[in-house]
Amino acid sequence: PNPQLKTTVINALVQIGELTSLQGAVAKLDGGYLQDTEYAEIGKAKEQGAVDLLIARLRTNEPYHVNLAARTLGEIGDPRAVEPVIHALVYGNHNYGMSDVPRALGKLGDRKAIEPLQLFLRNSQQIMQYDLRVAVLEALVALKAPNYLEDIAAELKKMTDNGSLHQAAPLLAALGRLHDNRTIPILVSLLGNQQI
């Protein structure tokens, strides 16, 4: 039951070849400590056997692990993760590195995440960290939420007015990935801005 000892034992089993690195990462989900690279390996493998354990990680009070678990669930793409990731977004810690939580909702692609994302964006404007705000907008773009282009245009105008347009790169990349000709006027309007 000791997470540190469990992690050390799993690492030793991986080192001697008793477990693959993927098996070791999944084993650590059940009470051990994972690194970013181990979460990434689980996501890259789209390891369905890890979904329930990753969902359990979303219920912890450790923002680092909640964020990485959500990111991994988004990469796996299992629809069972939608509701738990929405819950993590709405009720989780919004003050520290949680930007992969809304992005995971965008990757999961379930349109029932649109309303919670929009509500979160509207209700948190005063206190939301900028990277989290951009991540929510990216998720809305990925889900092609109603009026998402108008929301993005308004956000880019706000960023221009604040002198923070240089932080818009992830949002603009998300627009580019859509391959939607309606985004062209928004992007063209920014071509002359040297910040971006």
Side-chain angles (χ1 to χ4, degrees):
N2 180 316
Q4 189 171 3
L5 181 56
K6 183 171 193 150
T7 302
T8 303
V9 170
I10 292 169
N11 287 342
L13 290 169
V14 170
Q15 289 283 327
I16 63 173
E18 189 67 24
L19 296 174
T20 66
S21 58
L22 176 61
Q23 290 169 328
V26 173
K28 286 181 189 178
L29 281 172
D30 190 18
Y33 297 120
L34 283 87
Q35 301 297 317
D36 187 347
T37 54
E38 292 168 310
Y39 282 105
E41 186 168 2
I42 293 168
K44 184 177 178 184
K46 297 195 180 298
E47 181 58 48
Q48 291 291 320
V51 171
D52 289 332
L53 293 168
L54 287 163
I55 288 171
R57 287 270 166 143
L58 293 176
R59 298 184 193 108
T60 69
N61 291 325
E62 301 172 3
Y64 172 79
H65 291 287
V66 170
N67 192 53
L68 292 174
R71 183 190 75 192
T72 306
L73 287 164
E75 291 166 354
I76 293 171
D78 191 303
R80 293 176 291 167
V82 174
E83 290 294 337
V85 175
I86 289 172
H87 189 271
L89 173 74
V90 174
Y91 299 106
N93 179 343
H94 305 136
N95 297 319
Y96 177 78
M98 295 292 284
S99 57
D100 282 322
V101 175
R103 285 187 183 111
L105 289 170
K107 288 179 184 174
L108 287 166
D110 192 317
R111 295 187 60 79
K112 70 179 156 193
I114 291 173
E115 186 178 351
L117 285 162
Q118 289 174 329
L119 284 171
F120 183 78
L121 196 61
R122 279 196 297 270
N123 295 336
S124 304
Q125 286 188 20
Q126 303 300 325
I127 56 171
M128 191 184 309
Q129 288 187 354
Y130 182 73
D131 62 335
L132 182 57
R133 182 173 183 77
V134 168
V136 171
L137 288 164
E138 284 180 60
L140 291 170
V141 167
L143 293 168
K144 295 186 179 178
N147 303 318
Y148 74 93
L149 289 175
E150 292 84 353
D151 293 341
I152 298 300
E155 186 66 25
L156 290 170
K157 181 177 181 348
K158 197 182 310 177
M159 293 166 83
T160 301
D161 294 345
N162 293 351
S164 60
L165 192 57
H166 61 282
Q167 296 175 323
L171 196 52
L172 298 177
L175 286 177
R177 285 190 296 271
L178 288 175
H179 303 284
D180 183 340
N181 287 342
R182 296 176 303 152
T183 64
I184 293 173
I186 295 172
L187 297 170
V188 167
S189 70
L190 299 170
L191 288 175
N193 189 310
Q194 294 302 308
Q195 278 189 317
I196 200 159

